């Protein structure tokens, strides 16, 4: 029986996908549920599993755009599985060059070789300057390199020589093209503005130092910055609901829940899965959900649904060493918080100059819907919560908040 494998729908609004990589070759024997290809949609890169065991015949090439529901491969389910000593049949396309073309190519090579022959005087100059004759254009008879050509071909002082100056052109994946379109649209279609502040991370550092081992032992999770920032952001969104709103045509949509998109790095680039109802989660709940989503993104198992519908985004460029940036809004959302690296800086406390771990934070927002008062107030609320986590985020009870 020949099984036709068709492209499944990754999401309701997705009409086509692109074959990013075939993980098998034409004629390979595949097992049911084995990943046979990676396909790009405009929202995610997903693995395509084999629907049955058998010999596979590919019907689309890498880079092809294929409509949802179209046949991408055939699987001969009656084919026997090769034994361990039996090699699998792999078909490779054969490219034959006509004899006339071969002769033509040989002629070109011969002519090129002759055109690079330098005169004795030119050879001496080129040898002294360690210059490849192939890099000098000859103006003599039959393309011969003359002494004058060699002199002109000698680089002037300060001109770089040697090294690899090659280049490579590759097609952007469908996901990367869509990300590029969305970023340009965000810049062109929103009145984006960024406000900044700084956070003294002393209190969070002290809490993590004191409780991280107990937290890990109890829950099997690290006590990271993201749980503190997520809790601080959900609190600030409830205080300043305009930041948790979106524009739809001539209407404003405000949400009474906080679905926080969290930027994570995956094998295909940046992905932004969503932590649903983040305002209801504990510190343990936030850390567990972010870990789950990060693992799924890393393993290429993240789904379109898991990256759709966020109301606000948190991006942590600090893990890559970024000191300060202006993050771009993730449409149709109206705000994004940018975290950065923590650096020990000289700050003034109680009239004294002391050293403290400080992080710069940035809020980019759509000024069409969020005014300066709301944006600045939101970021100040985040700062206050992070600098006073026990009082503001834990209701004065650390062990209860961390479920220890």
């Amino acid at each position: 029986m020949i099984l036709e494998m068709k492209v499944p729908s990754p999401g309701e609004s997705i009409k086509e996908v692109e074959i990013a990589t075939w993980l098998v070759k034409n004629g390979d024997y595949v097992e049911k549920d084995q990943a046979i290809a990676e396909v790009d949609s405009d929202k995610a890169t997903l693995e395509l599993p084999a629907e049955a065991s058998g010999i596979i015949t590919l019907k689309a090439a890498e880079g092809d755009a294929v409509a949802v529901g179209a046949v991408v491969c055939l699987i001969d389910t009656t084919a026997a599985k090769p034994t361990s000593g039996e090699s699998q049949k792999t078909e490779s396309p054969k490219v034959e060059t006509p004899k006339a073309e071969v002769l033509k190519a040989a002629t070109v090579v011969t002519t090129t070789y002759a055109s690079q022959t330098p005169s004795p005087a030119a050879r001496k100059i080129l040898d002294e300057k360690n210059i490849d004759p192939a890099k000098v254009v000859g103006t003599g008879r039959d393309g011969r390199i003359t002494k004058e050509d060699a002199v002109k071909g000698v680089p002037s002082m300060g001109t770089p020589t040697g090294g690899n100056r090659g280049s490579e052109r590759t097609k952007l994946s469908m996901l990367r093209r869509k990300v590029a379109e969305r970023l340009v649209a965000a810049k062109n279609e929103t009145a984006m503005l960024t406000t900044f502040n700084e956070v003294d991370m002393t209190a969070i550092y002290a809490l993590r130092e004191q409780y991280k081992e107990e937290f890990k032992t109890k829950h099997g999770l690290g006590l990271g910055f993201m749980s503190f920032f997520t809790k601080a952001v959900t609190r600030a969104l409830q205080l300043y609901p305009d930041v948790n709103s979106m524009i739809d045509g001539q209407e404003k949509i405000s949400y009474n829940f906080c679905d926080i998109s969290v930027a994570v790095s995956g094998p295909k680039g940046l992905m932004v899965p969503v932590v649903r109802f983040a305002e209801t989660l504990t510190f343990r709940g936030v850390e567990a959900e972010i870990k789950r989503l990060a693992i799924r993104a890393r393993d290429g198992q993240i789904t379109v649904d898991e990256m759709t519908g966020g109301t606000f985004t948190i991006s942590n460029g600090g893990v890559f060493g970024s000191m300060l940036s202006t993050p771009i809004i993730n449409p149709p959302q109206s705000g994004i918080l940018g975290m950065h690296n923590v650096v020990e800086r000289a700050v003034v406390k109680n009239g004294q100059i002391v050293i403290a771990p400080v992080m710069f934070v940035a809020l980019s927002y759509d000024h069409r819907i969020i005014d300066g008062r709301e944006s600045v107030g939101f970021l100040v609320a985040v700062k206050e919560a992070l600098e006073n986590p026990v009082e503001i985020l834990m209701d004065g009870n650390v062990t209860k908040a961390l479920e220890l």
Side-chain angles (χ1 to χ4, degrees), residues 201-216 221-229 283 287 342 359 389-390 394 398 402 404:
M201 301 286 287
T202 300
I204 291 178
Y205 265 51
L207 282 171
R208 293 180 69 236
E209 181 64 27
Q210 183 175 354
Y211 294 102
K212 65 180 180 181
E213 293 301 328
E214 188 177 355
F215 188 84
K216 185 173 184 179
L221 299 164
L223 181 60
F225 290 153
M226 284 304 301
S227 53
F228 288 94
F229 272 82
F283 283 83
E287 294 291 354
V342 179
M359 176 192 288
V390 176
M394 298 177 167
V398 178
L402 299 180
L404 300 176

Side-chain angles (χ1 to χ4, degrees), residues 336-377:
I336 178 172
L337 179 73
M339 299 167 57
H340 302 92
N341 62 355
V342 179
V343 177
E344 289 191 341
R345 304 185 188 280
V347 298
V348 177
K349 292 185 178 182
N350 301 319
Q352 301 293 322
I353 298 177
V354 298
I355 303 299
V358 173
M359 176 192 288
F360 293 139
V361 290
L363 172 70
S364 291
Y365 60 98
D366 189 346
H367 211 345
R368 296 176 304 165
I369 193 171
I370 303 171
D371 293 332
R373 173 185 172 276
E374 281 71 27
S375 62
V376 174

Side-chain angles (χ1 to χ4, degrees), residues 114-167:
S115 68
Q116 300 302 327
T117 303
S119 68
R123 167 67 70 183
K124 181 179 180 181
I125 295 173
L126 295 177
D127 288 345
E128 289 175 351
K129 301 298 183 181
N130 195 27
I131 297 176
D132 184 354
K135 297 181 180 179
V136 180
V137 178
T139 60
R141 184 176 180 180
D142 296 329
R144 190 178 180 86
I145 299 175
T146 66
K147 179 180 178 181
E148 290 74 20
D149 296 331
V151 171
K152 292 178 181 178
V154 176
S156 62
M157 293 296 292
T159 301
T161 60
N164 183 359
R165 290 178 58 80
S167 61

Side-chain angles (χ1 to χ4, degrees), residues 174-195:
M174 181 180 288
L175 175 60
R176 177 55 63 181
R177 296 197 302 270
K178 188 62 177 181
V179 169
E181 291 174 8
R182 288 169 62 85
L183 292 176
V184 172
K187 294 283 286 185
N188 292 340
E189 298 172 9
T190 65
M192 195 172 76
L193 191 63
T194 305
T195 185

